[in-house]
């Protein structure tokens, strides 16, 4: 057997095939294209599209977009600035926490946010194919090209061979399943419904998080020129699917808002949704195998509560691009200035790059994962939940400290160790600007 990659292992059509056009996929594809890689991104959906999400991009995510020169196109979608969150157990007083860094959070609409990032990927030279579903992948062997089967919008099938397969296909990642990285779901089952609501009355400077026994309601403004749109998300523990929620979920969510003291000047109405999701705990064995690499939710997800998902998706994209290209992530828009793209081919350094990605990602996100697990465990126990929520109200600054920990620590979360650079793959000259 020939064990030398690139020799006798057949040609490849692409440097990278990215599956999924959410924030993780768009930004990974964009950064690879900026480094001169030939990249194709497929998504089964057509954009713009809505998605189940609390739609709060935390300040660390905002800072990361700025570093990547991607904040302007996101700001052009007119997001709502959020100065903090109010956290309260249902029926009790509220603890207010403020973000403290230079950035506020942004209440974004996933429809426009995801679309804006995907358009940036296109502008950077990524070939984007919407309505295209990955149905099968063989990418577990580092010595052979990743081979995938796609189903196109018209129902016909197509095969593609890529040097690297990037699974950015979210919860229940088909890529992770196909290469044997997905583990069975664990932990408490949870399901959610998200509505886009129109109405006037509540304060638009903060989000609200209402915590009940087995029930969480998130409520936050999202951007729009009229200033009347909101994200309302209901998460219930003990449910596998959202089917059972659809009948009375809306009433439950409105009741919770009412108990939490949210007052409307006019009757709120649903303008879009609901989008259902769950259950959330989707562990993975590892984030790489063979010629496959997972980013964003596909790389393991367990709870939307702390609102770090988009930040983590963006972060993993940055770490992946850096590990794969062996160069600092190039900022600035448009394709790489030295547009001579080398023909795609397998490269021995790829295996090393994937290992670097796995270790850099686990170190870079360790803190955020630990924090999320601690919060989750605390809220799952009735007494611990009651004591910690009382402490949040009683101890001055405690709520702000918690909010800072979950969304406002760019100094800690962005400082991931620099991976050992692999021997160079096909790179292009750029104007490197480090992520760190
Ligand atoms: C109820 C809820 C509330 C949340 N609230 C927040 C919040 O307030 N703040 C926050 O930061 N995060 C929040 N999150 C988490 C956040 O939504 C995710 O972490 C984020 O969307 C992950 O981005 P991603 O790019 O990895 O995946 P996604 O955004 O899920 O994108 C995956 C893409 O892959 C495509 N795809 C899937 N399978 C295939 C296939 N076989 N072929 C082709 N394409 C495919 C899909 O169409 C989709 O476009 C929340 C999540 C939930 C469920």
């Amino acid at each position: 057997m020939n064990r030398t990659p690139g020799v006798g292992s057949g040609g490849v059509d692409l440097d990278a095939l990215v599956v999924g056009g959410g924030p993780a996929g768009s930004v990974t594809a964009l950064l690879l294209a900026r480094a001169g890689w030939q990249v194709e991104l497929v998504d089964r959906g057509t954009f713009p599209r809505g998605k189940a999400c609390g739609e709060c991009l935390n300040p660390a995510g905002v800072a990361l977009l700025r570093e990547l020169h991607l904040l302007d196109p996101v700001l052009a979608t007119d997001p709502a600035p959020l100065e903090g969150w109010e956290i309260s157990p249902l029926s009790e007083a509220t603890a207010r926490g403020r973000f403290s860094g230079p950035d506020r959070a942004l209440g974004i609409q996933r429809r426009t946010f995801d679309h804006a990032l995907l358009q940036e990927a296109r502008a950077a030279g990524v070939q984007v194919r919407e309505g295209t579903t990955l149905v099968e992948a063989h990418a577990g062997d580092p010595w052979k090209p990743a081979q995938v089967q796609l189903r196109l919008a018209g129902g016909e099938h197509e095969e593609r061979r890529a040097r690297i397969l990037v699974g950015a296909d979210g919860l229940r990642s088909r890529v992770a399943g196909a290469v044997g990285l997905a583990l069975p779901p664990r932990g408490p089952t949870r399901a959610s419904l998200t509505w886009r609501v129109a109405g006037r009355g509540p304060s638009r400077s903060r989000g609200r998080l209402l915590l009940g026994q087995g029930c969480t309601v998130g409520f936050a403004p999202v951007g729009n020129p009229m200033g009347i749109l909101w994200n309302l998300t209901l998460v219930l523990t003990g449910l596998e699917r959202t089917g059972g929620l659809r009948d009375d979920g809306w009433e439950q969510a409105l009741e919770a808002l009412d108990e939490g003291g949210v007052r409307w000047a006019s009757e709120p109405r649903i303008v879009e949704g609901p989008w259902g999701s769950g259950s959330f705990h989707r562990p993975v064995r590892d984030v790489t195998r063979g010629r496959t690499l997972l980013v964003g939710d596909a790389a393991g997800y367990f709870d939307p509560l702390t609102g770090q998902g988009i930040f983590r998706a963006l972060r993993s994209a940055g770490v992946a691009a850096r590990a794969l290209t062996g160069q600092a992530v190039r900022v600035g828009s448009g394709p790489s200035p030295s547009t001579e793209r080398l023909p795609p081919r397998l490269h021995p350094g790829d295996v090393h790059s994937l290992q670097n990605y796995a270790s850099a990602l686990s170190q870079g996100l360790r803190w955020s994962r630990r924090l999320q697990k601690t919060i989750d465990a605390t809220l799952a126990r009735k007494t611990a939940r009651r004591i910690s929520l009382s402490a949040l109200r009683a101890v001055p600054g405690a709520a702000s400290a918690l909010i800072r920990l979950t969304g406002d620590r760019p100094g800690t979360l962005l400082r991931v160790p620099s991976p050992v650079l692999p021997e160079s793959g096909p790179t292009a000259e750029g104007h490197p600007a480090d992520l760190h």
Side-chain angles (χ1 to χ4, degrees):
M1 184 170 22
N2 191 335
R3 287 249 152 213
T4 310
V7 180
S9 48
V12 291
D13 310 312
L14 301 159
D15 285 313
L17 181 87
V18 178
V19 184
S26 287
V27 175
T28 306
L30 172 150
L31 294 175
L32 292 177
R34 279 183 186 172
W37 282 40
Q38 193 175 320
V39 187
E40 199 167 284
L41 181 153
V42 297
D43 197 295
R44 64 185 175 198
T46 47
F47 289 73
R49 57 105 178 91
K51 166 171 182 338
C53 185
E55 300 185 308
C56 173
L57 175 65
N58 69 15
V62 173
L64 194 42
L65 286 180
R66 180 181 298 106
E67 278 183 80
L68 297 173
H69 284 209
L70 291 171
L71 188 56
D72 284 347
V74 169
L75 293 179
T77 68
D78 194 25
L82 295 177
E83 65 183 35
W85 281 83
E86 295 182 6
I87 306 169
S88 47
L90 283 170
S91 321
E92 286 182 50
T94 294
R96 261 181 200 199
R98 285 179 73 92
F99 298 118
S100 70
D103 286 307
R104 291 185 181 189
L106 294 176
I108 40 119
Q109 291 197 42
R110 289 298 298 266
R111 173 180 291 286
T112 47
F113 175 77
D114 288 22
H115 191 225
L117 293 181
L118 194 63
Q119 292 293 68
E120 289 300 305
R122 268 199 180 98
V126 175
Q127 168 91 24
V128 176
R129 302 172 71 191
E130 300 178 38
T132 304
T133 306
L134 174 115
V135 286
E136 224 175 283
H138 301 281
D141 185 339
W143 312 111
K144 288 185 181 159
Q147 211 167 335
V148 303
Q149 195 177 77
L150 305 172
R151 190 176 57 241
L152 313 188
E156 61 277 39
H157 284 76
E158 184 183 303
E159 296 226 333
R160 296 297 263 161
R161 290 155 69 90
R163 188 177 144 206
I164 301 286
L165 174 65
V166 178
D169 48 343
L171 280 173
R172 287 176 291 280
S173 161
R174 189 171 280 192
V175 173
V179 298
L181 287 174
L183 289 169
R186 280 201 301 256
T189 53
R190 291 200 178 97
S192 71
L193 283 183
T194 296
W195 296 267
R196 171 84 56 249
V197 178
R200 290 184 196 280
S203 157
R204 287 185 66 81
S205 63
R206 286 162 188 272
R208 296 289 311 264
L209 196 59
L210 301 154
L211 303 165
Q213 179 72 43
C215 155
T216 302
V217 173
F219 175 65
V222 291
N224 68 106
M226 314 268 291
I228 56 164
L229 293 185
W230 307 85
N231 176 295
L232 176 57
T233 296
L234 171 72
V235 183
L236 291 181
T237 304
L239 278 185
E240 292 264 5
R241 296 174 204 288
T242 52
L245 271 180
R246 286 183 191 265
D247 294 338
D248 61 352
W250 171 244
E251 277 71 31
Q252 278 192 59
L254 284 190
E255 261 170 44
L257 289 187
D258 194 51
E259 268 189 60
V262 174
R263 299 288 173 256
W264 297 93
S266 60
E267 193 71 9
R269 64 193 163 82
I270 302 170
V271 292
E272 216 182 344
W275 296 285
S277 186
S279 71
F280 306 118
H281 195 179
R282 298 282 163 177
V284 287
R285 216 176 287 283
D286 202 346
V287 294
T288 64
R289 172 165 288 177
R291 293 208 153 253
T292 307
L293 165 161
L294 305 176
V295 287
D297 282 3
Y301 189 66
F302 54 93
D303 202 327
L305 185 70
T306 56
Q308 294 171 296
I310 303 171
F311 164 72
R312 293 165 64 102
L314 297 171
R315 190 71 196 108
S316 59
V319 175
R322 183 181 166 85
L324 285 175
T325 63
Q327 58 180 263
V329 169
R330 193 177 73 84
V331 300
S333 51
S336 167
S338 75
T339 36
E340 31 96 25
R341 300 205 161 170
L342 302 173
R345 64 179 179 88
L346 295 189
H347 194 279
D350 290 340
V351 178
H352 192 46
S353 307
L354 291 174
Q355 283 161 4
N356 281 334
Y357 168 69
S359 60
L361 187 73
S362 95
Q363 285 191 53
L365 295 178
R366 184 179 298 154
W367 158 256
S368 109
R369 181 165 278 269
R370 273 197 197 144
L371 177 71
Q372 201 168 4
K373 284 201 160 144
T374 307
I375 293 174
D376 199 39
T378 308
L379 291 176
R381 290 172 185 80
K382 202 173 170 187
T383 313
R385 198 175 94 241
R386 198 166 39 76
I387 292 170
S388 45
L389 288 172
S390 306
L392 279 187
R393 283 199 310 278
V395 179
S400 289
L402 179 67
I403 295 253
R404 276 201 295 280
L405 287 175
T406 58
D408 198 17
R409 291 178 53 107
T412 306
L413 294 179
L414 294 184
R415 208 179 303 127
V416 298
S418 175
V420 182
L421 299 185
E423 298 137 43
S424 63
T427 59
E429 292 296 313
H431 300 294
D434 206 323
L435 268 176
H436 307 295

